[in-house]
Amino acid sequence: MQEKNNPKTIRAWAMFDWANSAYNLVITTTVFPTYYVIITENAANGNRVNFFGHSFINTALTNYALAAAYMVMVLLLPILSSIADYRGNKKVFMQFFTLLGSLACCGLFFFNAQRIEWGVICFALAAIGYAGGFVFYNSYLPEIATLDMQDKVSAKGFTYGYIGSVLLQLVCFAFVLSPGTFGITDKALPAQISFLLVGLWWIGFASIPFSVLPKGSPNAQTHQHNIIKGGFIELGKVWVKIKSMPLLKRYLPSFFFYSMGVQTIMLVATAFAAKELHMKTPELIAIILIIQIVAIGGATLMSRLSDKFGNVRVLIFVVFMWIGICIAAYFTTTSTQFYIIAVIVGLVMGGIQSLSRSTYSKFLPQDIPDTASFFSFYDVTEKLAIVGGLFSFGFIEELTGDMRNSTLVLGLFFVIGLLLLFSLLTTERKVQKNS
């Protein structure tokens, strides 16, 4: 039995966030989107690109690529989590996806305007590596922390992630903003070096949690079918169990809808600023640094607020703020306005991610032998939300020709999530009254 609340184990677990959050910041949020928009901008073609003979709006293509990557994970995770539960080897899957993601980032070193297909494929594979590793990483939370510590430990992971990603981001920015200092004359090379550094950083620091975390607890009784069929059967069993848990049954639908908004905004914000507001790379860099720095405090603040007011009430407050962000983004026309939005996004971004994970963990039965299948269900829900959010965002942009209209659709998803959270709050009060 794994000792819970062990400081060394918790620090090692949080270092996985430190390792892979650099991907999330550099590849999905800053350098890659900016680099991609620049090399694919072509007013004569309406910013359209060819991908294996098919024409797409440049930013819509990357949204579709990410949606496809996360859809692959929706199909794979039930199978892999079932195997992890059966064999107790979830750390092996963390290692596999980490290697896949880091190698894909290194592959982006060769991405340029003549290799659009290569770049988009590596971009998608990196997303698969990131998403795949995270589900098994999340499933360690109830295994390493007691119920009363899970909010704090979850926030610690995100805090490590923000700090680590900012440190590497600063290194990458040195190449991007001052290439001459390093004798670089090729305009594409600073971004390509950044992609390579992310891959090396990711696999390098991930070795710390891999050397400390337990491999997992085998649970052979849960796996009595063939691998492919068994994974989805296990997912179905989890759903049957969740339906008998009034809090989880109401929490997951709300999580699904507000995640459609949160995850999509995080993935498209930089492309929106570059394309709609014509913000330059230095401005985008400043915005992302603001978001990351504020998010470090945001995750800790929301953890403390949850201790005082409860997770569900704080989530309701945060989703209210996200609705305001979507409305504000639609009307944003200047860099100053976007800077203000960035501060608010930073405050609520880390908080909602950390609280969402720990709320789910706290609503789980605390005596289950292995949590991989339950967290597989959680991650499948989140990945389906990302697929829906990204596809909706890209589809509305292609349909209307304006990314601003897509932000309103995201606002609608938040409204639905908010209404469901109010329903959850009512149920939580009843459960507490009867307990």
Side-chain angles (χ1 to χ4, degrees), residues 400-426:
T400 66
D402 191 342
M403 292 178 83
R404 293 177 187 275
N405 296 324
S406 300
T407 64
L408 295 181
V409 174
L410 299 184
L412 178 62
F413 296 149
F414 280 117
V415 170
I416 297 172
L418 180 66
L419 295 175
L420 292 170
L421 280 173
F422 276 115
S423 173
L424 171 62
L425 183 61
T426 302

Side-chain angles (χ1 to χ4, degrees), residues 238-284:
V238 171
W239 172 236
V240 170
K241 292 176 183 177
I242 286 174
K243 286 195 293 185
S244 67
M245 304 172 189
L247 296 179
L248 269 184
K249 184 173 68 174
R250 283 163 176 77
Y251 172 66
L252 279 171
S254 64
F255 170 71
F256 173 79
F257 279 102
Y258 71 66
S259 288
M260 289 178 78
V262 173
Q263 301 297 332
T264 304
I265 287 174
M266 290 168 59
L267 294 169
V268 304
T270 303
F272 178 89
K275 193 171 182 179
E276 294 292 326
L277 304 179
H278 307 290
M279 296 178 70
K280 304 301 181 186
T281 300
E283 293 177 296
L284 295 173

Side-chain angles (χ1 to χ4, degrees), residues 36 40 45-65 116 120 275 391 394 397-398:
Y36 175 78
T40 57
N45 292 334
N47 291 329
R48 301 189 74 87
V49 294
N50 287 316
F51 184 74
F52 291 111
H54 297 277
S55 177
F56 297 90
I57 291 178
N58 54 356
T59 46
L61 174 60
T62 49
N63 288 337
Y64 290 151
I116 297 297
V120 172
K275 193 171 182 179
F391 182 82
E397 183 189 3
E398 286 223 286

Side-chain angles (χ1 to χ4, degrees), residues 335-346:
S335 299
T336 302
Q337 292 170 342
F338 202 78
Y339 277 116
I340 295 172
I341 292 176
V343 173
I344 301 172
V345 167

Side-chain angles (χ1 to χ4, degrees), residues 203-367:
I203 192 65
F205 280 107
S207 63
I208 296 174
F210 292 153
S211 67
V212 175
L213 290 175
K215 68 175 185 176
S217 305
N219 185 18
Q221 292 182 347
T222 66
H223 193 91
Q224 300 172 352
H225 309 276
N226 68 71
I227 289 175
I228 296 177
K229 185 178 179 181
F232 291 97
I233 289 175
E234 291 305 314
L235 207 62
K237 288 180 180 178
V238 171
W239 172 236
V240 170
K241 292 176 183 177
I242 286 174
K243 286 195 293 185
S244 67
M245 304 172 189
L247 296 179
L248 269 184
K249 184 173 68 174
R250 283 163 176 77
Y251 172 66
L252 279 171
S254 64
F255 170 71
F256 173 79
F257 279 102
Y258 71 66
S259 288
M260 289 178 78
V262 173
Q263 301 297 332
T264 304
I265 287 174
M266 290 168 59
L267 294 169
V268 304
T270 303
F272 178 89
K275 193 171 182 179
E276 294 292 326
L277 304 179
H278 307 290
M279 296 178 70
K280 304 301 181 186
T281 300
E283 293 177 296
L284 295 173
I285 289 171
I287 283 173
I288 298 305
L289 282 177
I290 289 171
I291 290 175
Q292 295 300 116
I293 292 170
V294 175
I296 294 171
T300 304
L301 173 64
M302 296 306 167
S303 173
R304 291 179 179 175
L305 288 176
S306 69
D307 287 340
K308 185 174 183 179
F309 299 104
N311 289 39
V312 180
R313 288 181 178 85
V314 177
L315 282 172
I316 288 172
F317 169 70
V318 172
V319 171
F320 258 123
M321 295 184 70
W322 278 108
I323 294 171
I325 288 168
C326 290
I327 296 172
Y330 180 82
F331 293 103
T332 296
T333 56
T334 68
S335 299
T336 302
Q337 292 170 342
F338 202 78
Y339 277 116
I340 295 172
I341 292 176
V343 173
I344 301 172
V345 167
L347 181 65
V348 296
M349 181 176 68
I352 199 166
Q353 288 181 295
S354 176
L355 270 185
S356 294
R357 179 170 64 187
S358 62
T359 299
Y360 182 78
S361 181
K362 290 166 78 172
F363 285 164
L364 285 177
Q366 297 301 302
D367 56 351

